[in-house]
Amino acid sequence: MSQDSAKLRPKDPLVAIRGFEDLLPATAARHAHVENIARAVFLRYGYREIRTPILEPTELFARSAGEASDVVVHKQMYTFQDPGQRSNTLRPEGTAGVVRALVEHNVLHQTPLQKLWYIGPMFRYERPQKGRLRQFHQIGVEAFGTTSPEQDAEIIALCRDLLRDLGFQQLTVKINSLGDRDDRLQYNAQLRERILETTQNAAHQNPEPPAWVHDWQRLAQLNPMRVFDTKDPLAHPYLKELPRISTCLGPAASQHHQRVCNALDALEISYEQDPDLVRGLDYYNRTVFEIVQGNIGAQSAILGGGRYDGLVEELGGPAVPGVGMAIGLERLLLSMDAAQLLPAETQLLPPPDDFVVCFDEEALPTAFLLAQQGRQVGRRVHFEPIPRKPKAALREAARSQAKRALILGTNELATATVQIKNLVTGEQKALPLYQAFESALE
Ligand code: HAM
């Protein structure tokens, strides 16, 4: 028995795990609203859905995320041994699983150009706060098979269209280039040296070296660029002493970046060059981008993505390049809420057309058949198999915002009729049972 369960008495109510949220119907409807709009955009862009398991071999993420990534450095992975003693991990992100699936099923050998999308829960053992959960949902897209800058631009344009269809007016894309492998080798050597100089100076100035000094020295060895993602405000002033990757971009990566920017200009997508944008996962090269919203608290990136030309090969597949992005659904919803872009619940969950109201137990079987009859002709019919007092029943029907109440009691049962009350006008009339929906359809 675990420590937690030992503390509980048998009838104590159980609560969800910290950082894991229930999506009650009103919230689930908001998720579905975004998902439906996203599906329509993906269809317009010719992306097809892929679904991969939420549990994968740990090795997949250890290899793809990179040893300097947040998920590895900050031990964010939900990893456990299954009963067969295999180490499995709940996916912290979607890209690696998609690549694994395409490699496993040989898809990229047959058709290297693949455009895919996915929606699903991801898991990261992070400290929960507003906009940061341990189980959260991503909507992502991945495009494989081309190094063309226009493919990067297409993904950013797709993000713009999706956010526009959700109601956002103005959002700025932050964009950077992380260059190619050789650019980064040269840059990392320079950066590593400067990090070591900077941290040594900072350590000399302080009797007790601040925590970030140790972190930076470790990152200098693992992946020096990750220092730009430093959260510690004490370290921020020292960032200006470091060189940026833009000074080391080779001609190929520079031209690529320029063409991405030209395409965004042509589409009038506003973007900001952000030389400090490095992303939390290690598999990126060339283009990286994020869309950030200031109004949702500290966790402000609603989506992020970029190019990952080496990842498929790294995971045992052919040398097929890729680029993609993922939106954090919870953060997107926070942002939509703040901007008042979420339709009212009644618009997300349309009210019933008819509410079948039943006064007596003996009328229940007929009421049930009546409700079914309405559903068969395509109406939304609400039926509660509980006899209620007339006043309470009608109050319930009004609360549901149905257009009509179909009322059945012993009198109606005896005459094979139903009372139909128009809940908008208050008008009421009796009709033979079999005509209950004919009049509604007129
Ligand atoms: P990511 O930046 O790690 O990228 O995650 C994408 C988005 O997921 C973030 O911008 C954020 O909105 C959301 N997110 C991440 N962690 C949390 C959390 N703990 N709670 C709530 N939301 C969170 C990726 O995952 C890449 N796979 C994206 C990608 C696809 N790159 C190329 N293709």
Side-chain angles (χ1 to χ4, degrees):
M1 195 187 275
S2 75
Q3 253 186 345
D4 281 351
S5 51
K7 276 188 238 147
L8 287 174
R9 286 165 308 178
K11 288 198 175 160
D12 281 345
L14 291 164
V15 295
I17 298 168
R18 193 164 124 81
F20 286 62
E21 280 188 345
D22 297 306
L23 303 185
L24 296 180
T27 313
R30 291 174 159 209
H31 278 239
H33 168 68
V34 173
E35 288 170 14
N36 291 339
I37 292 178
R39 281 193 170 87
V41 174
F42 298 150
L43 206 58
R44 286 211 299 276
Y45 276 79
Y47 285 63
R48 295 181 307 153
E49 186 179 4
I50 182 164
R51 300 187 191 198
T52 63
I54 56 169
L55 199 60
E56 295 274 6
T58 301
E59 177 68 14
L60 175 64
F61 305 114
R63 264 161 70 182
S64 59
E67 54 177 354
S69 64
D70 284 345
V71 287
V72 174
V73 171
H74 300 299
K75 302 199 169 39
Q76 291 174 354
M77 290 209 274
Y78 274 95
T79 298
F80 58 89
Q81 299 269 324
D82 70 12
Q85 304 310 312
R86 281 170 293 262
S87 177
N88 295 331
T89 293
L90 284 170
R91 61 183 183 193
E93 58 108 32
T95 312
V98 170
V99 173
R100 196 239 349 104
L102 297 184
V103 172
E104 181 171 338
H105 300 285
N106 246 333
V107 176
L108 295 169
H109 279 294
Q110 295 148 13
T111 329
L113 260 172
Q114 290 286 334
K115 294 185 176 185
L116 303 163
W117 66 267
Y118 52 87
I119 293 178
M122 308 290 158
F123 305 85
R124 294 185 194 174
Y125 192 78
E126 295 195 75
R127 202 158 48 80
Q129 55 168 254
K130 189 176 176 197
R132 190 162 73 193
L133 294 152
R134 290 181 173 170
Q135 176 180 306
F136 58 99
H137 295 81
Q138 282 188 348
I139 302 184
V141 301
E142 314 290 351
F144 297 92
T146 170
T147 52
S148 299
E150 288 68 31
Q151 182 58 65
D152 310 20
E154 183 190 69
I155 301 245
I156 297 173
L158 177 153
C159 295
R160 193 270 310 260
D161 285 6
L162 171 52
L163 294 170
R164 193 188 50 198
D165 289 2
L166 289 169
F168 288 98
Q169 307 273 343
Q170 191 68 33
L171 283 167
T172 299
V173 182
K174 289 186 172 191
I175 188 167
N176 192 19
S177 173
L178 301 185
D180 287 317
R181 203 171 158 271
D182 288 347
D183 307 338
R184 269 203 311 283
L185 279 178
Q186 190 200 343
Y187 171 64
N188 281 344
Q190 285 178 20
L191 182 60
R192 193 171 289 122
E193 214 170 288
R194 291 290 287 281
I195 293 173
L196 293 178
E197 270 171 40
T198 307
T199 51
Q200 272 159 13
N201 289 341
H204 282 137
Q205 287 156 12
N206 293 283
E208 184 83 0
W212 66 267
V213 164
H214 174 71
D215 290 345
W216 279 27
Q217 286 173 344
R218 198 169 38 113
L219 287 174
Q221 303 313 322
L222 284 173
N223 182 354
M225 261 196 309
R226 299 280 312 124
V227 296
F228 291 105
D229 229 8
T230 294
K231 305 286 181 289
D232 188 343
L234 291 177
H236 287 164
Y238 294 90
L239 285 172
K240 65 175 183 305
E241 295 177 19
L242 306 177
R244 299 305 196 262
I245 178 79
S246 51
T247 56
C248 290
L249 287 193
S254 283
Q255 274 164 25
H256 184 100
H257 191 60
Q258 193 51 53
R259 252 170 73 180
V260 175
C261 293
N262 293 347
L264 298 182
D265 289 336
L267 297 176
E268 295 180 2
I269 295 178
S270 62
Y271 60 91
E272 244 169 48
Q273 302 275 3
D274 181 353
D276 294 354
L277 180 64
V278 291
R279 311 274 301 121
L281 295 152
D282 283 358
Y283 47 60
Y284 296 105
N285 67 308
R286 296 196 177 181
T287 312
V288 287
F289 62 92
E290 282 183 356
I291 292 183
V292 173
Q293 264 295 78
N295 60 4
I296 56 169
Q299 302 302 316
S300 55
I302 56 179
L303 68 83
R307 181 162 277 287
Y308 48 87
D309 293 337
L311 183 62
V312 179
E313 228 178 343
E314 188 68 33
L315 295 178
V320 170
V323 50
M325 70 89 196
I327 301 175
L329 205 39
E330 284 80 359
R331 282 190 205 170
L332 176 70
L333 286 167
L334 277 176
S335 189
M336 289 177 69
D337 220 0
Q340 298 185 323
L341 297 178
L342 283 165
E345 197 183 340
T346 44
Q347 272 173 279
L348 294 175
L349 295 172
D353 297 310
D354 303 306
F355 195 105
V356 176
V357 164
C358 195
F359 296 159
D360 307 285
E361 178 80 32
E362 57 174 320
L364 273 179
T366 309
F368 170 56
L369 293 182
L370 185 66
Q372 282 303 103
Q373 198 186 322
R375 292 161 182 162
Q376 302 318 303
V377 295
R379 293 181 64 81
R380 290 190 298 271
V381 185
H382 203 109
F383 167 61
E384 290 181 355
I386 321 168
R388 285 193 200 267
K389 297 224 162 58
K391 222 169 140 189
L394 285 169
R395 202 175 40 232
E396 208 50 52
R399 207 196 334 248
S400 79
Q401 301 198 0
K403 295 183 198 86
R404 307 189 312 166
L406 308 190
I407 306 164
L408 279 174
T410 38
N411 290 346
E412 286 71 32
L413 217 51
T415 54
T417 57
V418 53
Q419 293 288 333
I420 303 203
K421 187 177 172 86
N422 182 321
L423 292 170
V424 182
T425 61
E427 207 184 313
Q428 184 168 330
K429 62 179 175 189
L431 275 183
L433 265 177
Y434 68 90
Q435 282 181 2
F437 296 101
E438 280 173 21
S439 68
L441 299 175
E442 275 164 14

